[in-house]
Amino acid sequence: MGLLSNRVSRESLKPGDHIYSWRTAYIYAHHGIFVGDDKVIHFTRRGQEVGTGTVLDLLLVSSGPARSREACPTCTGTAPQEGHGVVVSCLNCFLSGGVLYRFEYAVTPALFLAKARGGTCTLAVSDDYDIVVHRAKFLLENGFGCYNVFKNNCEDFAIYCKTGLLVVEQGTMGQSGQAVSIIGGPLAAVLSTPLRLVTTNVYGMAATAIGVYCASRYAADIGMRRDVVKLQVEDLTRRLATGLLQVVEPQIPVALAPPQSSSQPQVLSH
């Protein structure tokens, strides 16, 4: 399957694995947590995979998988709880005919940068599988806040289940590597670097853009950021329910050089 491929077989899955599947034209990937017994817990917009609240939804929805008109007997009765979009589906319904991939954790910086597309791996370390499954099941019952593809999406949900880490600043949360890859990195490469004024050579401009894009992805990864906290799942849902945590508008990270080594994330508990 190649060094840079995260494709896996169904037989290799273990409870607590973070899995994903690319949708039509590889515009976005849908992420979830495999919890065993052929079940996947994933975060949606009240049952729909994507939702930005903008005209971009037309593009994302059109790229999504075609839904079968026949109800899946395995997934019958698994509609999201009132007020939130965390759902449980069988593996077939989660994949919707797509290919199965496993998200990688604790990758080396070299491997992270070699994977040009965001939303496939992180430098952050995963917690034990039993903790991951507990978080996913707890959020299935209690929710993960308001869904938005650029603010608080399925990748954010799966990474939180795996690590307990959130980007939290002044009561706001949310930003994923997939969103940075699609919008943040390329836009930063075009708009942010003064080096684009140094050369008019097309190859030099391309190299500069790629360099800034990679540095932006690296700096924005949850395993490298300084503004992350480790938050117990019970405390997270309490804060969401009482309005102490809200979804933040995504900020475009700009980095011209890799950041210095960060300190350990702050731990928040009850």
Side-chain angles (χ1 to χ4, degrees):
M1 295 181 185
L3 176 63
L4 301 181
S5 174
N6 291 0
R7 185 172 178 175
V8 295
S9 66
R10 293 175 179 235
E11 293 74 25
S12 69
L13 289 181
K14 303 181 297 295
D17 277 348
H18 173 175
I19 61 175
Y20 64 96
S21 181
W22 292 104
R23 297 320 192 202
T24 305
Y26 291 85
I27 293 178
Y28 76 97
H30 191 53
H31 297 247
I33 299 295
F34 181 73
V35 294
D37 195 27
D38 202 43
K39 296 292 193 299
V40 182
I41 295 177
H42 50 117
F43 188 39
T44 68
R45 189 186 188 196
R46 298 182 180 179
Q48 301 297 318
E49 287 186 4
V50 296
T52 66
T54 71
V55 293
L56 187 58
D57 284 350
L58 297 177
L59 173 63
L60 295 175
V61 170
S62 66
S63 72
R67 299 297 178 185
S68 173
R69 295 182 180 179
E70 297 183 5
C72 173
T74 304
C75 297
T76 300
T78 59
Q81 298 286 338
E82 182 68 26
H84 73 77
V86 182
V87 299
V88 58
S89 304
C90 70
L91 185 56
N92 283 337
C93 285
F94 173 82
L95 293 175
S96 294
V99 176
L100 173 63
Y101 296 88
R102 181 161 46 211
F103 196 97
E104 293 186 344
Y105 285 80
V107 301
T108 64
L111 183 59
F112 180 87
L113 293 174
K115 296 194 176 198
R117 185 69 181 266
T120 62
C121 63
T122 178
L123 291 96
V125 177
S126 172
D127 290 325
D128 291 338
Y129 287 116
D130 57 339
I131 298 175
V132 176
V133 172
H134 166 70
R135 288 187 186 123
K137 290 183 176 180
F138 192 89
L139 294 174
L140 176 63
E141 296 298 325
N142 297 278
F144 191 63
C146 178
Y147 180 96
N148 189 285
V149 71
F150 293 126
K151 304 174 188 177
N152 192 42
N153 61 35
C154 57
E155 185 188 349
D156 295 310
F157 169 83
I159 289 176
Y160 173 74
C161 289
K162 289 287 286 186
T163 66
L165 299 176
L166 284 175
V167 178
V168 176
E169 184 177 1
Q170 297 180 346
T172 58
M173 61 177 268
Q175 182 175 19
S176 70
Q178 183 169 200
V180 172
S181 175
I182 296 173
I183 288 186
L187 192 56
V190 172
L191 299 179
S192 67
T193 173
L195 297 180
R196 71 186 186 277
L197 303 177
V198 176
T199 178
T200 57
N201 182 281
V202 65
Y203 299 107
M205 293 175 65
T208 297
I210 292 171
V212 174
Y213 167 63
C214 290
S216 298
R217 282 187 53 235
Y218 186 81
D221 183 71
I222 200 165
M224 290 299 300
R225 297 179 67 137
R226 295 176 180 269
D227 55 348
V228 297
V229 295
K230 196 165 183 92
L231 194 62
Q232 292 184 5
V233 68
E234 294 83 2
D235 196 17
L236 168 63
T237 55
R238 178 183 62 82
R239 289 168 181 249
L240 287 170
T242 57
L244 294 177
L245 276 180
Q246 299 177 357
V247 177
V248 64
E249 291 285 347
Q251 295 180 351
I252 297 171
V254 176
L256 296 181
Q260 297 178 352
S261 298
S262 60
S263 57
Q264 292 296 321
Q266 179 184 357
V267 177
L268 298 183
S269 57
H270 294 289

